[in-house]
Amino acid sequence: MSPHTLEEQLIAYLTDAHALERQALAQLRRAPKLAGDEALAAVLRVHESETERHEQLVRTRLEAHGASPSRVKDAVMEAGGLGFVLFAGSQPDTPGKLAAHAYSYEHLELAAYELLARVAELAGDADTVAVAREIRDEEAAMACRIEATFDGTVAASLQAGREHDPAKLLDTYLADAHALEEQALGLLDKAIEIGGPPELTRAYADHLEETRAHGDALERRLAQRGARPSKLKDAALRVGAVNWAMFFAAQPDTPGKLAAFAFAFEHLEIAGYEQLARVARAAGDPETVALAERILREERAAAGHVADGFDVAVQGSLQALGVATA
Ligand SMILES: [Fe+2]
Ligand SMILES: [Fe+2]
Ligand SMILES: [Fe+2]
């Protein structure tokens, strides 16, 4: 049943944050061995102990409310985290994929704590507000540390196995970016259909237009290079987007979950274009460098617009549940 009081909603946010930390731990315990880049592995190892502390802090706040972590949610999220690490390990470009995913994941956590802090504030729970802000700052710092590894992960990807030729790696990165834009189209379409606060729906709709233009520009660039998008990757990511959107529609606090996820997804794209620009530079293709940098600016702006909507996302989620906040 959906929670209908502010107290119950706060516990639900804490429970979700706990499951997120358990998922992070499942990933951080295995990812360093697969990282393929020593700097990235070191950054991931440091965050493992920080994440253990986050898990304890959130558990303490749950206990203060007479609640405990959800075994079911924790288990589901742990399994999902493991699945992703195995997937990244199977990719030809493991360091780059892992760094992009980790960067996006830290932003998912960051958004979750931004939302938790707001709900705790409305509930008058100053201790949880303080914990949420402290953890949020550590997630933000971790995201910066990951960003600082992009030069190295691209160099590692250039050296690794199959993709010796920078031009070939560049075509792969362009095709991956195209598939990600296809996924973005599916997600934004569904987010608009699901609805929510008008400010957020407008941000999703504006970015949907930009996303179409990004996909077209990537296709043109691929064609100019004598390559083309991967139908298989495009289709796989498009199906994934629809499944995710259905999952969010089934959540009791859809506007908040959607905003957190959209924020994380924009950062997955940001990491992708940061790395694409570097690969294009290594391949001596200034036109692709310029394209990646132009799209990057729009992805960063889109992420900012979603973050501007965190307040209305919380209000919208609580309203949808009939929770009185005044
Ligand atoms: Fe964390
Ligand atoms: Fe984290
Ligand atoms: Fe985007």
Side-chain angles (χ1 to χ4, degrees), residues 252-274:
D253 67 335
T254 303
K257 289 276 193 306
L258 265 179
F261 188 74
F263 184 71
F265 190 85
E266 292 311 320
H267 284 88
L268 186 62
E269 296 189 281
I270 289 167
Y273 287 110
E274 285 283 3

Side-chain angles (χ1 to χ4, degrees), residues 181 184 188 207 210-211 214 265-266 269 273 295 298-299 302:
E181 295 291 356
L188 291 166
H207 195 49
E210 290 177 339
T211 300
H214 297 169
F265 190 85
E266 292 311 320
E269 296 189 281
Y273 287 110
I295 298 180
E298 293 187 358
E299 304 296 0

Side-chain angles (χ1 to χ4, degrees), residues 19-197:
L20 216 49
E21 296 295 353
R22 291 297 290 258
Q23 182 172 54
L25 274 179
Q27 300 179 92
L28 288 165
R29 280 182 185 140
R30 283 157 193 90
K33 282 177 227 111
L34 294 169
D37 173 66
E38 206 21 68
L40 177 62
V43 158
L44 293 169
R45 259 182 242 116
V46 169
H47 199 50
E48 188 185 332
S49 50
E50 284 180 345
T51 300
E52 278 165 6
R53 203 175 67 89
H54 299 169
E55 190 263 336
Q56 285 156 13
L57 283 169
V58 173
R59 179 189 293 269
T60 307
R61 291 318 302 152
L62 273 167
E63 283 162 2
H65 286 273
S68 54
S70 156
R71 279 195 186 175
V72 176
K73 275 188 188 177
D74 285 357
V76 168
M77 296 287 277
E78 271 171 34
L82 210 60
F84 180 80
V85 172
L86 293 175
F87 164 77
S90 73
Q91 293 288 300
D93 165 33
T94 303
K97 288 281 187 296
L98 255 188
H101 172 73
Y103 183 71
S104 171
Y105 197 86
E106 293 311 317
H107 285 90
L108 181 62
E109 292 187 293
L110 198 158
Y113 288 106
E114 286 283 4
L115 299 175
L116 172 62
R118 283 163 172 79
V119 175
E121 199 154 37
L122 289 169
D125 177 353
D127 289 339
T128 299
V129 174
V131 162
R133 289 191 181 145
E134 186 192 335
I135 300 179
R136 173 202 62 191
D137 290 347
E138 288 192 7
E139 311 295 11
M142 175 60 179
C144 288
R145 293 199 294 268
I146 294 167
E147 199 166 356
T149 69
F150 289 160
D151 282 338
T153 56
V154 166
S157 298
L158 282 165
Q159 279 162 18
R162 278 178 260 188
E163 304 282 7
H164 261 312
D165 178 5
K168 254 205 225 148
L169 185 68
L170 179 53
D171 288 339
T172 307
Y173 264 78
L174 277 165
D176 286 350
H178 187 271
L180 215 51
E181 295 291 356
E182 283 287 304
Q183 187 167 35
L185 279 183
L187 279 168
L188 291 166
D189 246 346
K190 273 283 168 193
I192 294 163
E193 194 186 307
I194 290 167

